[in-house]
Every structure is written in structure tokens, then in C-alpha cells.
Amino acid sequence: MAHARPKADVVVIGLGWSGSVIAEELARAGLKVVAIERGAWRDTASDFPPSVDTDELRWATRKEILQPPKLETYTFRNNASQQALPVREWSNLTLGYNVGGAGTHWAAASWRFNPFDFQPYSKTIERYGKGQLVPGLQVQDWGITYDELEPFYDRFERIAGTSGQAGVVNGDIIPGGNPFEGSRSRGYPTPPLVPSRWNDIFTEKTTEMGYHPFPVPAGTISRAYVNALGVHMGPCTYCGYCQLFGCGNWSKSSPNACVVPALMRQPTFEVMTETEVLHINKSADGKTATGVSFIGKDGVVGEQPADIVIVAAYQLDNVRLMLLSGIGQPYDPRTKQGVIGRNYSFQTLSYAYLWFENEYLNPFINTGCLAIQIDDFNADNFDHTGLGFIGGAGIQSLSNNGLPIGMAGVLPKQAPAWGKGWKKAFQHSYQNWAMIQGQGTSYAHEAMYFDLDPTYKDNYGRPLMRMTFDYNLNDKRSGEFIRKQCEAIAHAVGGTQVESYNFANDHYTPFRANDSSHTIGGVVMGTDPKTSALNRYQQSWDVHNVFVLGASSFPNNGGFNPTVTLGALALWTAKAIREQYLHNPGPLVQA
Amino acid sequence: MNRRDALISLVQLTALSVAGSAGASVISARTPMPVGTQPEALPKPPRKGGLAYLAADEAREVAAIYDRLIPQDELGMSASQAGCVEFIDRELAGAFGQAASVYRLGPIVPGTAEQGPQFTQTPAERYRSGLGALAGYCQAHYGKPFSALDGDTQDSLLRAMENGTLHLPAINAAAFFALLLQNVREGYLADPMYGGNRDMVGWKLIGFPGARYDYRPYLDKKGMALNLEPVSLLDGAG
Ligand SMILES: Cc1cc2nc3c(=O)[nH]c(=O)nc-3n(C[C@H](O)[C@H](O)[C@H](O)COP(=O)(O)OP(=O)(O)OC[C@H]3O[C@@H](n4cnc5c(N)ncnc54)[C@H](O)[C@@H]3O)c2cc1C
Ligand code: SF4
């Protein structure tokens, strides 16, 4: 007989960015909140102070704080005619596995999406007509607009301490910022970071080319800050042990540095660590959830009853938990019916790698997101007539990479990979290599989806999730268009050797160096229960006391990193629960 | 709240696994928390001296291979001089060598390149079988081990492994080469406390300052050679 814990008002599955933000909101409102986190407790002083953090082998190469594939992985194939096989070793999806989730070791580029990204369907039809969409593309509006989300973006930035330069405030364009961004109600809480040498070169040349460079909003914050929850953050020291590491200075926006300290003071909150939720339990009529079943690290199974279930286990596990719990109809690519596993999208990356002749770029001075970007080719900021695709990419000069093991293979293609020649080439490349990254939009396709794998199991004998994914024609075209822009800039800035890549030209693989970790969709929000699993409040259409938070809610990906948008959506949902759902539990939108 | 209050209330007491839960650690505002870096978080340098996994002849062959991959020259010592054999020996004996992070449940089916490695063997086993296969090949073709061949022959064998033209029985030679190359770089460039990168030779090669944590004093020295002396995570580890 499973051990039952006392009933809670709210159970939160996963204590990463989404889970911690909503738990704090709801516990502060007086609700009894229990979070269940698969990973262990982690905090700055106890687990990754500077005397522990500065170890590339341990954290970046062996990935010691990440969720190992051994614990749970997924199977992968490029298309439905292949047999999916398990992703056995570390892949580009470097998942979180501790209190803080991937928010502990993320790179902290802290973006708002462009207004277009929330209404890609209606805005495309309005400007270009249906012919702009390639066959099979699943493009749909989110059911929420940028303007509706703006106050929640603002609040999230005040929790995260984001450093940046506003480009548009209350409709006015501010020099030095991103003129293409959605209008903000005010500027960033902290000023932009000091740019790197590489950032400066990029700014100068792209300005000459007529583009509009601006600092990438950063959660590696430029100065000390007391956030909206009263928590103190310290200034970033540009230590360069950032992505895949915890921050030892309390300067990286993270659940650990920004949210959990305030959350832990709430008397109505508690977290069970090293405990995995197995599935969500439903009432006899299937219309509501009664709580969750979990398993502790000692293998003992228990139950946490609750009135509200918040699923915040990261995009992949969100989809898997919905499939394992039988909430919402699974997507079937043959009939195109069903919603769980539908609308999977990713991030279409293009790059130019370039080498200068005689620079001192000092790449070890960096943060996870020290970059200057242009948005001239992002979203719908340029005319797509005749191009055959929608979307684009943010194009940035990224200084986030100076650790030697990782850099040892970053050489021009013709350079020797070993021997004396390698030593010479590495010595030169280390100070002279730079990258221009096109971080592209991604739209779902009807043939790409998630379901449960028929063969491979996790350690408890339950099916792994299966990913069927390859780039679609829209990705290939937008990726190629962006690759050319990256390449042109690489030549313009004076790269004497230039290599450029459109990742979407090849089949997708989870093992590609420098690929994104941004998996998107699968339990998306929307306006129509036939094409979305959740309504605009991230509430399940089918089981009204289940809310699903994370990038799993996005019907498509913008040409940006996803986290600030999913954080803002968590705050938006928290408000809807507090102000509407608690007074009248039931669907917040009638199907 | 200030940072100190937060710390006092937050550091996990791992022993405290309690209160009406099935084996879970429950942490709340009432949980007393000790202060300071947790013992498990501290760096764990491997023990010094002797071999932990490799046999002596295997270690000799690894040294010979590694020293072709990273040779001694005017830019610095070779991989084995820098301690890379000791480094990989400890790694193979530890979590990495035992594939502690790898999903290893079957069935094992060879897949497409995109689907990635579908190995049944751990890295430790792959070294054993890979070195064994290479030794067998060298014995059969040259009547001596790899380590006794001249440098040019060694290089051409390694190149053939690298580009997949050398077929060794029962192992994937190209994948084994990739593992060797990755590991020798790790040994040469990881913190010296792991046994390699002696005198921080790998870091000095490229001008990497090592385990420093604050570059704010150098932010305005853009485009300049900084010539920062590297530092190791553990004093004297180099
Ligand atoms: C290397 C890297 C760099 C990144 N850089 C950026 C960036 O620069 N900018 C950006 O915007 N985004 C970035 N991201 C993405 C970002 O980290 C995620 O978008 C964000 O953390 C997602 O928040 P979440 O709350 O959905 O999930 P997470 O923060 O991952 O939290 C999910 C939590 O759920 C737990 N969990 C999972 N399953 C269960 C279960 N069954 N039971 C209990 N607990 C469970 C996990 O252990 C985890 O702690 C990066 C990601 C990675 C990996
Ligand atoms: S670069 Fe800045 S934010 Fe990132 S880990 Fe270092 S100090 Fe922290």
C-alpha cells in the first residue's frame, strides 16, 4: 500500500525555473504547496562556490550536475519509418537534475520573444497569405499576445535581475537597444554587461552594414541587485565557468540564487528532494486529478494528494508525464488527431565560425551569454515575400566559450587534430576563433512528434519517450538564409578563414556540437482543444486542475532562448490560479 | 533577506530524511541547515602513484599512442610527460570508465549515425579490447607492439584508425581513436589535480589562466595579451 502524505493545496512536479516561480507565488498567497523534485538540494555556498566551480572536467566534460541518461533518456529517430534507439550518452539536451533544474547551469541569455512569435499564424496570413507556409507545417497562435504577457515579462526580469539595454519603451525607440523588440513598460533592472573584444568588433561592423546591434539581455548580471523577492544578487565576474556550471557569485539568474531563498521562507511550502513523480492520479470520472504518485530514492512509493497539480518537470518530462498519466489524447501522425506530443519544435541553428590572423580575443573572459545581437533577420522583422519560409534568427557574436577541453577541437577544418600541428593550430585558434550564431525560429511539422517508445524502458520498466524529429523545409530554408547572413558578417569583420553551417541542411542528431538544448512544444497552449493540450492559462482542456508549465507550452520557438518566456508564462498562470481558479475551480476557458 | 540568513536556512542536512514521507528528504522553512561547503561538493583528486586500472603493458601502449597525439616539442612536454596516462588510468577506474552516466539497457541495435553510440562496452572495457586489438594487429604485421614502432609507422596507423580505413577485429577502430583523442586532450587540459597537465603545460600552451574566478580587472584591456599566470584549483596540484 502506497504511503499517503497529508493533502496539499498544490503539488508542483519539478523545482526548476517554472516550478520555483509558481510555487513562490502560490505559497505567498497562503496555499499549502508541496514541490517534488527528482534531483538533490543544491545551493551556491554548499555546492558550487568558486573553490569548487572552476573545474571544466568535472562540470562541463563529465557533466556532474546534469541528469544522466542512465536515470532517464529518450529514444530518437529521424522519421517514423526508422526504429528509434535510445540516446545512451550525453547529448545536446543537457537536462537539469537538482533543485533549480536546468536553471542552475543554463547560460542565462534572458530574452523576451518578439510579438510575432505569439501569433505566427494570423500575422503570416495577414501579411503574406497561406502560400507562405510550406506543406505540413503546424503553425498556430498561442492564445496570448505579447502585450498581455508584458507585465509578467517585466516581473520575471525583476526576479532574475536581467542586465540589458531597452530598445523600445512605451513605443519609443531607445538608441543602442533592439529596435525590433516588443514595447516594454520600462527598462531592464540592471545595465548591460561590458562587451568583449569580439562583441566590439561585431558591433562596429554590423553598424557599418546598416544593422542594429544591441547587447543580448543577460542573466549574468552586471551589478549587485536586490530582486523583487528581496533576495540579494552579486555582480558577475566574467569567470567563464558559466554554462553547465552553477554560479559561485550569486550573479547568475537562477532559481537557486533568485527564487528558492524566498520560497524556503514561506511557512506553507516544503520540497521533497530526490523524489521522482511517477504519474499524476485521476479521479474515478477522469475529470480531475487527485494528486501524484512518487518514488523516493530508497524505492518506496508514496502518494501526494492535492487539489491542484502543476507539471513543471521540463519540456521532455512534461510530455512524458502527460502520456504516462493518460491526460489528453496522444497525437497520432497518421490521423493528425490528438494533442499530447504534437507541435514539437526545436531551434534552427546556423553558424559562421571565423578565425582572425592576429587577435587577442581572451576568450576565457566571458559569461554564458556575453553577446551582441542583431534582430534585423529575426521573426517577421524583414520582408519574407518570395523567400518560401517564415521566421528567421537572432544573429549574435557570442563570447561564451573559453575553456580549454571544449576549445581543443575548435580548429579550422583543414587543421591537424593531433600531433605537433595540432598544438600550433590550437595555440593560434584559441585566441583567434570567434563564432557568429544564428539562433533560429522553429515551427512544428505534422510528421514530427513525441510518443511512448514500444521497446525501451526506464529503470522502473516504464516506456521511455520517443522523439521523431528532423528539420522541415521551412527550417532548411530559413537556416540557409541565416547561414548566408552569418557568413557575410564573418567576412566583413575580417575573418581570414570562415566556415559556415546550416544545421538544418543535415539530418537532426542529438549529438551535434554547439547545437541547442531547446526542446519545445508537445503540450502546447492554444485556442482550440483539437490542436492544443492547454488553454491560454496553461490549463489542461481535459483535466481542469492540471496546469503544465515550461517550453512544452510553446506551439513554436522564437529566434531566442526560451526561458524568460516560460518564466513569464508561469507568473501569468499563477495569477490566473490565484485570482480566478481558486474562486471557481473549473475550466478557465470554455472549450 | 540577506545572503547569510538565506544560507543558514538553506543548506541541506542530508541526514535529515523525515517527516511522514516515503524515503524522501523533506525540506521546509523549519528544517535546520548547517553552513558551509558540503563535503561531497569538494574536489576529489585521485590518489597518486601506481596504476588503478590499466596493466603495465597497457599503460606503456597508451603512453606511446598519446605521445603521437600530443608530442613533445618546443611548445611543451608530451602527453605522457604531462601525466596523461596516470590521468586516464584514474578516469577508467572511476565513474567515467564504468559508464556510470550511460543508459545501457538493451536491446542493443546498431542505428544510424544520427542515433549516436550504441555501445555495449564501458570506456574501461573499450580501452582493454581496443588496446588488445591494436596489439594483435601490430604483432601480426610488424612482430612488435605499437610502442616499438617508429614514429611514422605509428602515425600512419593512427591516421588509418582515425579515418576508418584500419579494421581491427571486434572493435570500431575509428570510435576507439576518437575516445583516445578526447581523453588525451582531457588529460592535457584538465586541472592538474587530476594527474595530467603537469606544470599546467596545456594551459600555458594557449594562455588559459586556469581556475581564476574574477576577470573584472581585465575587462578594459581588450585585445591585449594578458599573460596571466595560470592557477590550479588545488594549491600545488601542478
Ligand atoms: C546548457 C543549457 C544552456 C541553456 N541556456 C539558456 C539560455 O541562455 N537562455 C534561456 O532562455 N534558456 C537556456 N536554457 C534552457 C533553460 O535551462 C530551460 O528553458 C529552463 O531551465 C526550463 O525551465 P523548466 O522549469 O521548464 O525546467 P527545469 O528548469 O529544467 O526544471 C525541471 C525540473 O524538474 C525535475 N524533474 C523532471 N522530471 C521529474 C519528475 N518526474 N519528478 C520530479 N521532478 C522531476 C528536474 O530534475 C528539474 O529540476 C539552457 C539549457 C541548457 C541545458
Ligand atoms: S560568468 Fe558570471 S554569472 Fe556566469 S558563473 Fe561566472 S560569475 Fe556567475
Side-chain angles (χ1 to χ4, degrees):
Chain A
M1 178 58 199
H3 170 99
R5 283 176 41 88
K7 187 170 174 196
D9 296 320
V10 183
V11 61
V12 176
I13 309 171
L15 201 59
W17 263 128
S18 303
S20 64
V21 162
I22 199 163
E24 196 282 329
E25 289 272 322
L26 298 180
R28 186 155 37 81
L31 296 180
K32 183 173 178 326
V33 179
V34 175
I36 302 182
E37 167 55 50
R38 175 154 74 183
W41 180 265
R42 290 283 179 261
D43 202 12
T44 306
S46 53
D47 295 283
F48 37 80
S51 58
V52 167
D53 212 23
T54 45
D55 186 345
E56 182 188 15
L57 183 75
R58 180 177 183 185
W59 305 114
T61 314
R62 300 286 181 253
K63 302 181 171 44
E64 223 181 81
I65 50 172
L66 308 190
Q67 186 233 291
K70 188 189 184 80
L71 181 91
E72 181 188 329
T73 189
Y74 57 102
T75 66
F76 164 72
R77 58 182 179 176
N78 279 126
N79 60 65
S81 73
Q82 295 177 333
Q83 183 190 351
L85 296 180
V87 172
R88 295 182 179 278
E89 303 194 356
W90 296 114
S91 70
N92 57 330
L93 310 188
T94 39
L95 305 173
Y97 182 39
N98 53 264
V99 168
T104 307
H105 69 261
W106 71 323
S110 301
W111 293 102
R112 298 177 177 205
F113 276 15
N114 183 283
F116 172 83
D117 297 320
F118 299 93
Q119 299 164 282
Y121 184 76
S122 52
K123 294 207 172 195
T124 297
I125 300 309
E126 192 185 309
R127 187 166 176 188
Y128 308 103
K130 267 197 170 156
Q132 193 73 19
L133 301 175
V134 302
L137 215 61
Q138 286 172 333
V139 183
Q140 57 199 62
D141 294 353
W142 295 33
I144 184 174
T145 63
Y146 172 84
D147 288 340
E148 285 177 298
L149 200 54
E150 202 287 329
F152 304 90
Y153 270 138
D154 181 74
R155 169 91 183 158
F156 188 85
E157 287 167 356
R158 256 66 197 170
I159 293 172
T162 316
S163 298
Q165 168 62 55
V168 185
V169 176
N170 295 320
D172 295 331
I173 296 203
I174 317 282
N178 177 8
F180 300 101
E181 72 184 2
S183 184
R184 309 167 52 91
S185 51
R186 53 180 165 165
Y188 287 94
T190 52
L193 294 163
V194 178
S196 68
R197 164 87 178 135
W198 165 226
N199 294 166
D200 284 348
I201 297 171
F202 183 89
T203 301
E204 190 189 320
K205 289 298 164 190
T206 51
T207 305
E208 274 172 38
M209 293 168 89
Y211 303 141
H212 302 85
F214 62 91
V216 166
T220 57
I221 73 169
S222 60
R223 59 178 61 164
Y225 181 68
V226 182
N227 81 359
L229 304 176
V231 185
H232 292 243
M233 298 177 71
C236 171
T237 58
Y238 303 73
C239 80
Y241 292 91
C242 200
Q243 169 159 292
L244 300 176
F245 298 80
C247 173
N249 285 334
W250 291 277
S251 11
K252 178 156 69 169
S253 311
S254 68
N256 315 66
C258 303
V259 186
V260 175
L263 175 57
M264 290 312 298
R265 302 214 137 197
Q266 295 296 339
T268 58
F269 175 79
E270 58 185 14
V271 53
M272 300 163 63
T273 59
E274 299 178 74
T275 305
E276 175 172 350
V277 170
L278 295 169
H279 52 82
I280 302 155
N281 299 315
K282 287 190 289 186
S283 60
D285 66 6
K287 291 203 172 109
T288 53
T290 57
V292 303
S293 292
F294 60 80
I295 186 164
K297 73 171 168 182
D298 56 3
V300 178
V301 173
E303 263 175 44
Q304 176 61 61
D307 288 331
I308 298 176
V309 175
I310 308 273
V311 189
Y314 183 76
Q315 183 270 341
L316 290 174
D317 273 294
N318 286 353
V319 182
R320 183 164 183 252
L321 281 168
M322 296 296 274
L323 290 169
L324 290 173
S325 308
I327 300 179
Q329 193 191 339
Y331 177 68
D332 181 338
R334 285 158 305 185
T335 61
K336 305 185 188 34
Q337 305 289 308
V339 289
I340 308 297
R342 186 184 192 274
N343 275 84
Y344 176 59
S345 67
F346 183 51
Q347 188 103 64
T348 314
L349 291 194
S350 306
Y351 281 100
Y353 299 150
L354 61 128
W355 286 265
F356 292 103
E357 215 37 63
N358 209 5
E359 267 292 346
Y360 285 101
L361 296 179
N362 293 327
F364 44 86
I365 304 180
N366 74 60
T367 88
C369 52
L370 183 61
I372 301 288
Q373 174 153 314
I374 58 166
D375 256 358
D376 300 67
F377 299 106
N378 207 348
D380 200 31
N381 301 341
F382 58 106
D383 186 1
H384 289 64
T385 307
L387 294 177
F389 66 87
I390 60 170
I395 296 179
Q396 55 179 285
S397 58
L398 187 53
S399 294
N400 73 341
N401 201 351
L403 297 178
I405 299 171
M407 293 282 283
V410 182
L411 303 176
K413 253 194 267 172
Q414 72 282 3
W418 47 279
K420 291 184 182 186
W422 169 76
K423 285 171 108 175
K424 263 192 121 63
F426 184 28
Q427 192 175 53
H428 179 263
S429 191
Y430 185 72
Q431 281 290 8
N432 287 281
W433 175 76
M435 71 153 116
I436 298 173
Q437 183 192 59
Q439 180 167 246
T441 52
S442 177
Y443 299 91
H445 188 277
E446 61 189 22
M448 303 304 154
Y449 66 105
F450 283 111
D451 62 355
L452 292 175
D453 191 273
T455 308
Y456 290 95
K457 308 273 189 262
D458 68 11
N459 297 316
Y460 307 124
R462 304 169 329 140
L464 295 181
M465 194 156 69
R466 175 167 70 178
M467 174 195 287
T468 303
F469 179 70
D470 210 345
Y471 297 106
N472 62 53
L473 185 59
N474 192 83
D475 302 331
K476 289 175 190 295
R477 287 177 175 166
S478 66
E480 189 56 21
F481 179 85
I482 295 299
R483 182 193 66 75
K484 288 184 184 146
Q485 313 302 328
C486 294
E487 190 183 64
I489 298 170
H491 286 295
V493 296
T496 49
Q497 299 187 70
V498 173
E499 293 171 9
S500 65
Y501 300 93
N502 164 17
F503 282 14
N505 256 345
D506 302 320
H507 293 298
Y508 171 74
T509 168
F511 296 97
R512 188 159 192 166
N514 286 340
D515 208 344
S516 179
S517 61
H518 305 149
T519 56
I520 305 290
V523 191
V524 307
M525 59 196 290
T527 53
D528 180 353
K530 289 206 182 61
T531 56
S532 59
L534 312 174
N535 65 26
R536 69 197 296 258
Y537 298 105
Q538 303 188 92
Q539 178 186 36
S540 163
W541 289 111
D542 299 279
V543 179
H544 66 73
N545 62 342
V546 170
F547 294 80
V548 188
L549 311 185
S552 45
S553 297
F554 304 0
N556 53 277
N557 200 2
F560 304 101
N561 314 56
T563 304
V564 173
T565 297
L566 64 89
L569 283 169
L571 293 165
W572 151 266
T573 292
K575 182 164 192 259
I577 292 175
R578 269 195 334 259
E579 296 181 3
Q580 300 177 58
Y581 187 82
L582 290 178
H583 301 299
N584 188 12
L588 295 173
V589 177
Q590 288 310 320
Chain B
M1 89 199 59
N2 71 35
R3 194 48 64 183
R4 205 176 142 267
D5 291 351
L7 283 179
I8 290 169
S9 65
L10 289 186
V11 183
Q12 180 186 14
L13 195 63
T14 25
L16 199 94
S17 128
V18 270
S21 87
S25 310
V26 181
I27 305 171
S28 73
R30 297 170 299 281
T31 310
M33 298 289 203
V35 181
T37 308
Q38 293 299 283
E40 319 87 76
L42 294 172
K44 287 173 219 53
R47 70 168 173 79
K48 303 235 180 232
L51 289 169
Y53 174 74
L54 295 171
D57 60 327
E58 290 173 325
R60 184 193 65 219
E61 296 305 302
V62 169
I65 296 169
Y66 277 11
D67 283 349
R68 296 318 292 176
L69 300 180
I70 304 184
Q72 182 190 16
D73 61 11
E74 68 285 357
L75 297 178
M77 55 183 115
S78 74
S80 72
Q81 290 165 341
C84 293
V85 179
E86 186 175 294
F87 165 84
I88 192 58
D89 175 65
R90 302 303 189 270
E91 287 291 300
L92 293 177
F96 168 74
Q98 307 312 308
S101 64
V102 177
Y103 176 83
R104 296 178 72 209
L105 300 180
I108 302 282
V109 178
T112 64
E114 287 78 13
Q115 290 175 311
Q118 301 289 328
F119 295 123
T120 50
Q121 292 188 317
T122 65
E125 291 163 348
R126 290 175 63 203
Y127 265 78
R128 185 130 299 152
S129 59
L131 291 170
L134 184 63
Y137 181 91
C138 292
Q139 240 355 293
H141 285 79
Y142 307 102
K144 42 183 148 173
F146 180 89
S147 56
L149 302 174
D150 65 77
D152 286 346
T153 312
Q154 289 178 330
D155 282 357
S156 59
L157 275 175
L158 290 172
R159 207 162 295 122
M161 285 173 71
E162 181 181 27
N163 61 30
T165 53
L166 181 72
H167 297 285
L168 295 174
I171 72 148
N172 178 337
F176 182 47
F177 178 87
L179 181 66
L180 292 162
L181 182 59
Q182 168 66 20
N183 291 156
V184 75
R185 288 173 173 177
E186 289 167 0
Y188 206 73
L189 297 164
D191 194 284
M193 74 176 173
Y194 291 108
N197 194 9
R198 184 162 297 140
D199 298 337
M200 295 178 268
V201 60
W203 292 350
K204 287 175 186 162
L205 171 71
I206 53 171
F208 176 65
R212 292 180 185 248
Y213 214 69
D214 190 353
Y215 289 116
R216 284 172 298 174
Y218 309 101
L219 292 177
D220 57 356
K221 301 196 165 48
K222 297 184 190 187
M224 289 159 61
L226 297 180
N227 302 318
L228 298 175
E229 195 58 33
V231 290
S232 163
L233 188 51
L234 285 189
D235 262 348

